[in-house]
Amino acid sequence: MQIGHKDNMEKAHMITCTAPVNIAVVKYWGKRDEDLILPINSSLSVTLHQDQLKTTTTVTTSKSFQEDRLWLNGKEEDISHPRLQSCLREIRRLARKRRNDADPDLDSTCLSHKVHICSVNNFPTAAGLASSAAGFACLVYTLAQVFGVEGDLSGVARQGSGSACRSMYGGFVKWIMGHQSDGKDSIAQQVEPETHWPELRILVLVASAERKPVGSTSGMQTSVQTSFLLKHRAESVVPGRMVEMIEAVRRKNFTAFAELTMKDSNQFHATCLDTYPPILYLNSVSHQVINLVHRYNRHYGETRVAYTFDAGPNAVIFTLQQHVLDFSQAVRHFFPPETNGQFIKGLPIPQADISVELKQAIGLEPMPKGISYIISTKAGPGPCVVKDPTQHLLGPDGLPKHSEKHQDNGLEHNIGF
Ligand code: DP6
């Protein structure tokens, strides 16, 4: 990319990129440094495919801009948020460093310009997926393209939201907690690419939530202050679990992967309950999903399905391609959906009836409308540049093209940092 060279320095730079959501299978919960966002344990996640879930961000610079500005889903937001400021400051610092160290010819005009940023998600906030991870990953990736910054940027994304550092890579990603006080060694690394385990499938079961749960930032603060179980988890459980999880991923050992995933989710929610006052993210639908998964696996005499829950009631299910249809029939039976509306969004799953034996073996009382819909997806790639200029979210005047909500993949756009 050519940026800021003298011959085109008057030209406005406009770049659009997309970034993925990730779901942790070894959870991050607790910081040792609130400002730099340094965690008390390492974590590991799977990057979800952007065909189903992504943030899109456009950044442009111009010497005519008076100030940095940000629009989320067409609505202007306060750019003075400290975490947004950390990301902007870091990228500008790295761009300046690069110009000074390596490329003195690189014109600095663009660096002194203000930026306009516009960002949208293609999934509803109600999906309970950490939109801040995709949001900050996309912001940092796009800013880096605009200012010509290269190399690992997970340490910058981390300063927007901890889990965002893992959205800087596709496939299976670890966030190494690091030990330095300046956070330079607290970065994300890809363990295996998205092509590594093509049979692995992911279902997001969107529970119809009644209220907004406690945010992760404040929730984990209280946990660090009050939970001995969290300290034990971070010091004595996660280090060994990271080794085992990486091994399970490398060997595509679904049984080991699934059991570690469920145990880690359960321990994370146990630390939330051990927090004082306790934090309860799971609801009756979540508990029903947990029961369903264990009874399903018991019926088949093997671990075919795993669940994991973040800071909300929605389950994320991992299974293998050959079990997707059978398990989704069980979900549809025990959570009968509304008749109107699409129950399965994303990668198609045919509809069929659950077998009598499975229905009897599971033997739970159905919970009508407990799950609003399922997003069917798989592991996917990291952030990408969008080449098609018609996809820019900002017009040539540097203002958002659309201020209305869009529809994409049947999922309403929404954004939250
Ligand atoms: C439960 O990354 O949202 O999803 O660093 O304060 O922005 P901040 O928190 P955030 O926490 C995510 C917590 C989690 C587990 C995980 O993704 O590892």
Side-chain angles (χ1 to χ4, degrees), residues 22-31 34 37 43-45 83 130 132-133 136 158 160-164 166 175 215-218 220 268-269 281 309-312:
N22 71 77
I23 179 77
V25 290
V26 176
K27 307 286 186 196
Y28 145 58
W29 197 251
K31 297 181 186 67
E34 292 283 335
I37 310 195
S43 55
L44 195 137
S45 60
R83 290 174 168 202
S132 62
F136 277 109
R158 189 200 74 229
S161 179
S163 54
R166 299 185 311 239
W175 173 12
S216 14
T217 305
S218 69
M220 66 176 80
F268 156 52
H269 290 280
Y281 286 124
F309 299 83
D310 277 347

Side-chain angles (χ1 to χ4, degrees), residues 106-363:
L106 206 66
D107 192 272
S108 60
T109 315
C110 157
L111 256 172
S112 60
H113 289 174
K114 300 294 181 193
V115 293
H116 282 190
I117 303 161
C118 187
S119 196
V120 293
N121 284 349
N122 74 339
F123 54 95
T125 310
L129 296 155
S131 60
S132 62
F136 277 109
C138 206
L139 172 74
V140 167
Y141 190 80
T142 316
L143 283 171
Q145 299 289 325
V146 168
F147 290 118
V149 177
E150 285 162 356
D152 174 63
L153 295 163
S154 65
V156 183
R158 189 200 74 229
Q159 295 178 56
S161 179
S163 54
C165 72
R166 299 185 311 239
S167 276
M168 296 299 282
Y169 296 97
F172 302 81
V173 183
K174 64 177 170 184
W175 173 12
I176 304 162
M177 64 178 283
H179 292 284
Q180 287 175 213
S181 56
D182 61 5
K184 290 221 162 65
D185 58 351
S186 188
I187 52 166
Q189 280 176 2
Q190 187 176 67
V191 171
E192 290 288 351
E194 60 276 16
T195 48
H196 170 67
W197 200 351
E199 305 81 21
L200 191 71
R201 290 283 302 269
I202 301 158
L203 304 173
V204 184
L205 310 189
V206 180
S208 4
E210 319 86 66
R211 61 190 168 80
K212 202 181 171 341
V214 178
S216 14
T217 305
S218 69
M220 66 176 80
Q221 248 166 13
T222 322
S223 297
V224 169
Q225 285 156 9
T226 62
S227 171
F228 287 117
L229 180 57
L230 180 63
K231 192 171 153 57
H232 166 72
R233 165 182 162 74
E235 287 171 4
S236 308
V237 179
V238 173
R241 192 164 277 171
M242 284 292 292
V243 175
E244 289 178 63
M245 187 61 99
I246 290 169
E247 186 67 10
V249 167
R250 290 234 158 95
R251 293 181 182 273
K252 295 191 267 184
N253 178 343
F254 186 79
T255 306
F257 173 80
E259 291 180 8
L260 288 166
T261 296
M262 290 188 278
K263 285 180 181 175
D264 199 74
S265 173
N266 293 339
Q267 189 176 67
F268 156 52
H269 290 280
T271 67
C272 291
L273 196 58
D274 189 48
T275 298
Y276 192 82
I279 307 168
L280 304 165
Y281 286 124
L282 307 182
N283 64 15
S284 55
V285 174
S286 323
H287 289 127
Q288 176 97 333
V289 171
I290 292 173
N291 280 333
L292 172 62
V293 168
H294 287 292
R295 288 179 190 206
Y296 183 90
N297 288 338
R298 192 182 56 196
H299 172 66
Y300 287 110
E302 62 177 4
T303 306
R304 293 188 175 183
V305 177
Y307 53 77
T308 185
F309 299 83
D310 277 347
N314 300 331
V316 177
I317 298 290
F318 289 97
T319 189
L320 295 172
Q321 174 71 44
Q322 70 256 39
H323 307 310
V324 168
L325 175 58
D326 189 55
F327 182 72
S328 64
Q329 284 160 3
V331 174
R332 196 189 284 271
H333 177 81
F334 290 104
F335 299 94
E338 303 235 30
T339 38
N340 51 351
Q342 200 186 1
F343 189 54
I344 307 227
K345 303 178 195 244
L347 296 177
I349 304 174
Q351 194 178 334
D353 284 333
I354 185 172
S355 71
V356 178
E357 305 88 81
L358 184 57
K359 194 175 6 180
Q360 281 169 357
I362 290 176

